[in-house]
Amino acid sequence: MAKMRTVDAAVAILEKEGATEAFGLPGAAINPFYSAMRAHGGIRHTLARHVEGASHMADGYSRAADGNIGICIGTSGPAGTDMITGLYAAWADSIPMLCITGQAPVAKLHKEDFQAVDIESIAKPVTKMAMTILEPGQVPGAFQKAFQLMRSGRPGPVLLDLPIDVQMAEIEFDIETYEPLPIEKPKASRKQLEKALDMLTSAKHPLIVAGGGIINAGASAQLVELAEILNVPVIPTLMGWGAIPDDHQLMAGMVGLQTSHRYGNETFLQSDFVIGIGNRWANRHTGGLDTYTAGRKFVHIDIEPTQIGRVFSPDLGIASDAGAALDGLLELARERQAAKTLPDYSGWVAECQERKGSLHRKTNFDNVPIKPQRVYQEMNKAFGRDTTYVSTIGLSQIAGAQMLHVFGARKWINAGQAGPLGWTAPAALGVVRGTPDATVVALSGDYDFQFMIEELAVGAQFNLPYIHVVVNNSYLGLIRQSQRGFNMEQNVSLAFENINSPETNGYGVDHIKVAEGLGCKAIRVENPNDMPAAFDKAKALMGEFKVPVVVEVILEKITNISMGVEINGVNEFEELAETAADAPTAILAKA
């Protein structure tokens, strides 16, 4: 066998495992690994401006397409700790991502050496595996195990920590005889799925709740086909949004306290049976469990057995990969369709459609400063079915989920459970890397945008074009809204008189100058009627210069977005749609 450095073996393994897209920052303790990448030539590397940004880029890349695994690379010490937020975001949403860190020499690990930190212990709670590799001969096996774990069961991230002397050590290794380990995923039995289907077809008003596990499994087509055969409406979760297109007649809306549709909540409350596939029953989806569960039976199918019963006990729990479960349910449904034993749910579907066409929030406001609802109306007009949206947290994300439209799997990419501010811009760059031919549109409030604004320079340097819509009210809007319950408004205003940019009119940071200073293009919009032209110009600039283009929309400073603490008690702070003209981009015109 060939004798080589461990890092040369590791890079060869990355290529054989199909993980060839890396994001990171070099440093002294990881330079041997970088030298191996340079010598190999098959791993593309994107230089980030912050290691946390690199981790979000790798995360976005992993989310962008089926089978992707992004790699984040950094040196010892703070590079690893900077990755923790990225690891948490990936772990919380079941995203495979490989983080690789440099480390002090093995003999120095207990001596408080420069930038020597126990990153293995720090990262363990937010990874499927975190390992400081102390023996050179363990490197191939550790990488082999990492890829198996990332892909098996509930997907998730792994961190491998490489002491510099381990990186430079030589081992015997033959990449030709290396083989990836088998991927392990549970599969529902026919008997389990027969029971689930019996329960569904015994109900009068059944629903399918489609979670992010369906998208992780690449099983959206199977979901849609199953729904069509059974003629049963589908409620996607925020992480499952796009598994069924918004304009499909069986897409019944999203449910929840914040990122939900009025018609989705009302339809759910009329249901008597719910089968959840690849979902977590997240608290912002369910609200109070007494309200959520009252009067209906539940089946829960999830790839991770310990997720079943974690939030509430279902009437039937099945540990299975979402794709395998949908394949099995499809087989059974086709058999019953052929035997003409499936119930007729056309009346139930018609009721759901009637709600979908009548329960709208108003978006057509002409106010100056601009109301946020109008922004999403104009985005619906400006961006087509093939658009991939990227967002993370804040009133911008909540209102966007209520009013934007998504028409396919992996076309809504969102850090759902962790919701880290600053995730959006670097994640969008990773998405562009993962889907270079897609139209990528990011959505941020001003503070999410400012958190990692330096990463825009990465998009300029590496020609990663996308449009970043920044809805700027110069406020921490979601926090301000949550402070209403405490009768205060404390430390949430970002406004100040910018002596260098009086044209911001007291809105503080001049995002246009900052974005242009980082090598990007930027447009500011202050009148709602100017948005169509701004979006057209942004598309042209993106095509011409191949860099991120920021469209900053100046909003009214205070807007309360619809939300509540129970799915039957969402507070509607703004006017509701009374005519079709009030919500002109609704999926179904206002009845």
Side-chain angles (χ1 to χ4, degrees):
M1 288 197 296
K3 198 162 191 177
M4 63 181 71
R5 295 179 304 169
T6 62
V7 287
D8 295 309
V11 170
I13 290 170
L14 294 181
E15 182 184 45
K16 195 152 189 181
E17 292 279 3
T20 57
E21 201 73 53
F23 308 84
L25 281 82
I30 196 64
N31 274 338
F33 192 89
Y34 272 86
S35 73
M37 285 197 296
R38 182 181 178 89
H40 182 274
I43 310 298
R44 181 165 60 176
H45 180 272
T46 301
L47 178 68
R49 294 298 189 273
H50 191 296
V51 184
E52 182 185 338
S55 69
H56 297 327
M57 290 175 202
D59 184 5
Y61 175 82
S62 293
R63 295 176 194 243
D66 292 350
N68 280 5
I69 294 182
I71 306 164
C72 175
I73 306 172
T75 190
S76 59
T81 57
D82 284 344
M83 292 179 189
I84 296 302
T85 299
L87 285 165
Y88 168 37
W91 173 81
D93 289 341
S94 307
I95 304 300
M97 177 176 74
L98 178 61
C99 286
I100 300 169
T101 52
Q103 181 59 277
V106 172
K108 300 281 190 178
L109 291 180
H110 68 295
K111 296 181 182 291
E112 297 186 355
D113 208 41
F114 177 68
Q115 291 190 336
V117 68
D118 185 1
I119 194 64
E120 175 184 317
S121 297
I122 294 170
K124 273 185 176 177
V126 289
T127 56
K128 293 191 76 175
M129 178 175 84
M131 178 182 182
T132 297
I133 305 173
L134 302 177
E135 295 293 338
Q138 287 186 298
V139 169
F143 275 81
Q144 189 180 38
K145 184 66 175 176
F147 280 100
Q148 182 191 42
L149 285 172
M150 285 187 285
R151 293 170 171 148
S152 292
R154 180 182 178 181
V158 166
L159 181 139
L160 295 178
D161 187 41
L162 302 173
I164 190 168
D165 52 338
V166 170
Q167 292 179 61
M168 294 189 294
E170 290 193 338
I171 58 171
E172 297 284 349
F173 181 72
D174 181 7
I175 190 61
E176 298 303 321
T177 60
Y178 174 92
E179 293 294 338
L181 293 173
I183 299 169
E184 300 170 357
K185 294 182 179 180
K187 179 179 178 180
S189 69
R190 182 181 176 93
K191 184 176 181 180
Q192 288 174 316
L193 297 177
E194 283 178 336
K195 176 66 174 175
L197 196 53
D198 287 345
M199 292 173 67
L200 185 152
T201 55
S202 297
K204 292 182 178 180
H205 296 151
L207 290 173
I208 299 170
V209 167
I214 292 173
I215 292 177
N216 283 349
S220 298
Q222 295 96 305
L223 166 74
V224 174
E225 185 180 354
L226 178 66
E228 289 174 345
I229 291 173
L230 298 175
N231 201 27
V232 169
V234 177
I235 297 281
T237 67
L238 185 65
M239 296 305 298
W241 195 13
I244 184 170
D246 274 6
D247 59 353
H248 195 289
Q249 69 169 356
L250 293 174
M251 198 293 202
M254 287 194 288
V255 168
L257 308 181
Q258 297 179 341
T259 56
S260 60
H261 302 108
R262 294 179 65 216
Y263 51 88
N265 280 353
E266 289 299 319
T267 285
F268 186 88
L269 291 167
Q270 297 301 315
S271 69
D272 61 358
F273 172 85
V274 177
I275 179 170
I277 305 174
N279 65 305
R280 291 190 301 108
W281 309 118
N283 66 306
R284 292 191 178 189
H285 168 83
T286 65
L289 294 177
D290 288 344
T291 301
Y292 190 84
T293 60
R296 54 193 62 88
K297 292 185 180 295
F298 289 87
V299 172
H300 189 196
I301 300 174
D302 195 86
I303 198 168
E304 172 52 51
T306 63
Q307 284 291 340
I308 296 169
R310 181 183 289 261
V311 178
F312 63 86
S313 295
D315 297 275
L316 175 65
I318 300 172
S320 178
D321 170 69
L326 285 165
D327 287 340
L329 286 168
L330 264 175
E331 182 180 349
L332 293 172
R334 292 184 190 121
E335 291 174 5
R336 298 189 188 191
Q337 182 184 46
K340 302 186 185 305
T341 59
L342 290 175
D344 179 5
Y345 289 119
S346 56
W348 169 231
V349 171
E351 289 178 33
C352 297
Q353 284 285 93
E354 191 280 329
R355 283 184 284 269
K356 190 174 181 179
S358 60
L359 298 176
H360 296 313
R361 297 180 173 108
K362 183 176 178 178
T363 58
N364 199 24
F365 294 92
D366 291 325
N367 304 51
V368 178
I370 299 168
K371 292 188 79 65
Q373 292 86 348
R374 178 67 181 272
V375 180
Y376 309 112
Q377 175 179 303
E378 297 302 330
M379 289 173 70
N380 284 333
K381 291 179 181 179
F383 303 113
R385 296 179 62 88
D386 64 338
T387 303
T388 299
Y389 289 109
V390 183
S391 191
T392 183
I393 191 66
L395 289 184
S396 54
Q397 175 244 23
I398 293 168
Q402 292 176 5
M403 297 166 198
L404 291 175
H405 305 316
V406 174
F407 298 103
R410 300 191 187 277
K411 294 190 180 299
W412 172 260
I413 294 179
N414 184 88
Q417 192 205 26
L421 282 166
W423 184 89
T424 306
L429 295 170
V431 172
V432 174
R433 272 289 194 227
T435 52
D437 297 325
T439 299
V440 178
V441 178
L443 173 63
S444 289
D446 40 314
Y447 212 44
D448 173 50
F449 185 60
Q450 289 175 22
F451 250 56
M452 304 207 78
I453 198 169
E454 75 283 347
E455 302 306 326
L456 287 176
V458 177
Q461 179 178 354
F462 292 94
N463 295 122
L464 301 173
Y466 75 98
I467 293 173
H468 203 134
V469 179
V470 179
V471 286
N472 180 9
N473 64 350
S474 202
Y475 253 97
L476 299 181
L478 179 56
I479 305 306
R480 181 208 56 76
Q481 188 167 336
S482 70
Q483 287 184 356
R484 293 170 69 251
F486 296 93
N487 297 314
M488 67 172 182
E489 187 175 309
Q490 181 69 26
N491 298 336
V492 289
S493 176
L494 304 175
F496 62 92
E497 294 294 337
N498 190 329
I499 60 173
N500 296 305
S501 298
E503 62 271 26
T504 62
N505 295 316
Y507 272 62
V509 174
D510 190 334
H511 297 124
I512 305 302
K513 287 181 179 176
V514 175
E516 290 178 345
L518 291 167
C520 300
K521 293 293 183 178
I523 303 165
R524 179 178 290 126
V525 183
E526 297 178 296
N527 188 297
N529 297 322
D530 294 336
M531 277 191 280
F535 288 135
D536 286 343
K537 184 178 180 181
K539 294 174 192 175
L541 290 170
M542 186 175 64
E544 180 180 358
F545 295 102
K546 309 298 181 187
V547 298
V549 179
V550 175
V551 179
E552 179 190 50
V553 183
I554 303 300
L555 300 185
E556 62 184 9
K557 289 196 172 184
I558 293 178
T559 308
N560 292 313
I561 299 298
S562 305
M563 63 182 73
V565 296
E566 295 283 354
I567 59 172
N568 63 351
V570 171
N571 296 312
E572 300 292 344
F573 296 95
E574 299 287 342
E575 299 173 57
L576 299 176
E578 295 182 357
T579 68
D582 287 338
T585 62
I587 289 293
L588 285 181
K590 170 72 177 173

